[in-house]
Amino acid sequence: MKAVQLVAYGKPLEIREVPTPEPVGENVLVRIGGAGLCHSDLHIMEGKIPILPYLPFTLGHENAGYVEKVGPNVKGFNVGDKVAVYGGWSEKVDRFVLKGEENLSDVTKWVGIGKPGGYAEYLLVPSYRYLLPLGNLDPVEAAPLTDAGLTPYRAIKKLLPHLYPDSTVVIIGAGGLGQFGVRYAKLLTPEVNVVTVDVNRRKLEIARELGSDYVVDSTEKDPVKEVKELTGGEGAQGVVDFVGSDVTMNQAYAMAGRQGTVVIVGLAGGTLKFSAGTVNEVSVTTSNWGTQLELSEVLALARRGVIKARVERIGFEQVNETFERLAKGEVEGRAVLVP
Ligand code: NAD
Ligand code: ZN
């Protein structure tokens, strides 16, 4: 089968011929319907997150498609079924797996990060238990839900206990993930004001379309000052940083109000200068992908038509040029590889 592989850090991906895996036991071979291009792959390809077990390696952790072939011990799935693939695979049974939080367990076994991913014609899924039926959803539209849709769902939920009506939530970085963040901030919270910060005008227009009440172009205005002004000096009750650079993390912290919560999702390798002894009691945390239960909830929201990825379909030959556009912020929503 064809697969798009990283052969060396800092080099473009290559389309290579690799053996089509054979499902055994409770494995399922999924024919990829769509595999989303995530900015995390860019960090990995640049060698900034040294996590891959070996090279050449097939990336792709945002996958949906069709059951192609099942191992003899697979239950409840048949050839042709449309499925989303939950990618937080774990071979451990630790405290977090027992809690249903495989996304905190065994990162070295995740799809497209520890095990071959979905930038290929077929994907070997270790167990049918990682599959979720799509129902009326199209695999191309559903693929981004497994990460771009899922990760912000978990991140925004971390804010919920701290928000109150008319408080303010700030989304920094309205790309593939952040656009879902804007939507969830409107959908899941008690009538808050949503402010979106980005460096790209088009992304800010999209954030407005998705319901953001205010937008700030941080190439033109200081987002910390803007948020303070919009909140009468108080600051935001919740901030989610979908960039994670030195600049954005420090902006996020500085714009949070008393007992505000800052959730860092972006993996741009930033460091936060955190000052002890301040009277604002701001909490700073990270958020890591999501659970399979959370993914099932995200799929339910998509089936009800209240969330939807902004999808651009690409073929194998366009993967490198599309990653270049993603790096420059020129992909409007999510680019999805359709083999
Ligand atoms: P993306 O490229 O689609 O979106 C990034 C957005 O940030 C773009 O709109 C860009 O214009 C904007 N941006 C860049 N610099 C900015 C700045 N200084 N201020 C404000 N906005 C800025 O990327 P994505 O696929 O949505 O991923 C976003 C980040 O989340 C990446 O770092 C990725 O690695 C990370 N990620 C984390 C997890 C997790 O579990 N924690 C999961 C998936 C992705
Ligand atoms: Zn990702």
Side-chain angles (χ1 to χ4, degrees), residues 65-146:
Y66 306 86
V67 171
E68 174 77 12
K69 207 170 179 185
V70 295
N73 302 336
V74 169
K75 309 268 187 292
F77 288 92
N78 296 303
V79 173
D81 286 356
K82 285 193 293 179
V83 290
V85 180
Y86 176 71
W89 302 342
S90 174
E91 289 177 6
K92 293 183 185 158
V93 183
D94 62 16
R95 181 175 178 79
F96 291 91
V97 173
L98 292 174
K99 283 204 292 175
E101 292 187 296
E102 295 205 29
N103 56 310
L104 296 178
S105 177
D106 200 0
V107 54
T108 62
K109 302 295 181 298
W110 288 359
V111 66
I113 289 160
K115 299 277 189 181
Y119 299 158
E121 288 174 284
Y122 299 98
L123 173 69
L124 186 69
V125 179
S127 171
Y128 63 94
R129 294 166 199 269
Y130 293 122
L131 301 179
L132 294 105
L134 284 187
N136 61 2
L137 297 174
D138 166 26
V140 178
E141 308 252 324
L145 300 174
T146 64

Side-chain angles (χ1 to χ4, degrees), residues 38-40 43 147 151 172-178 197-200 203 218 242-243 248 265-268 287-289 326 334:
C38 180
H39 205 115
S40 298
H43 300 315
D147 179 20
T151 304
I172 301 180
L177 270 69
V197 179
D198 204 296
V199 290
N200 178 302
K203 298 292 172 61
S218 56
F242 289 102
V243 179
T248 57
V265 173
L267 302 172
S287 198
N288 201 23
W289 212 348
L326 185 65
R334 209 55 158 178

Side-chain angles (χ1 to χ4, degrees), residues 13 18 68 89 105 122 150 184 235 249 300-301 327 329:
L13 301 176
V18 301
E68 174 77 12
W89 302 342
S105 177
Y122 299 98
L150 173 58
Y184 294 139
M249 286 170 68
L301 290 174

Side-chain angles (χ1 to χ4, degrees), residues 13-35:
L13 301 176
E14 284 182 17
I15 303 171
R16 303 178 81 231
E17 196 59 37
V18 301
T20 305
E22 192 58 36
V24 298
E26 55 181 51
N27 300 168
V28 177
L29 188 69
V30 170
R31 175 164 66 82
I32 291 294

Side-chain angles (χ1 to χ4, degrees), residues 224-284:
V224 177
K225 200 163 153 256
E226 289 293 303
V227 169
K228 289 277 177 176
E229 266 174 34
L230 286 166
T231 54
E234 177 62 41
Q237 204 56 31
V239 185
V240 186
D241 177 4
F242 289 102
V243 179
S245 66
D246 282 346
V247 168
T248 57
M249 286 170 68
N250 287 286
Q251 285 170 344
Y253 182 53
M255 66 176 62
R258 286 170 292 176
Q259 291 187 342
T261 304
V262 175
V263 182
I264 313 285
V265 173
L267 302 172
T271 305
L272 175 63
K273 212 166 152 242
F274 190 94
S275 30
T278 55
V279 292
N280 59 8
E281 294 193 353
V282 169
S283 303
V284 180

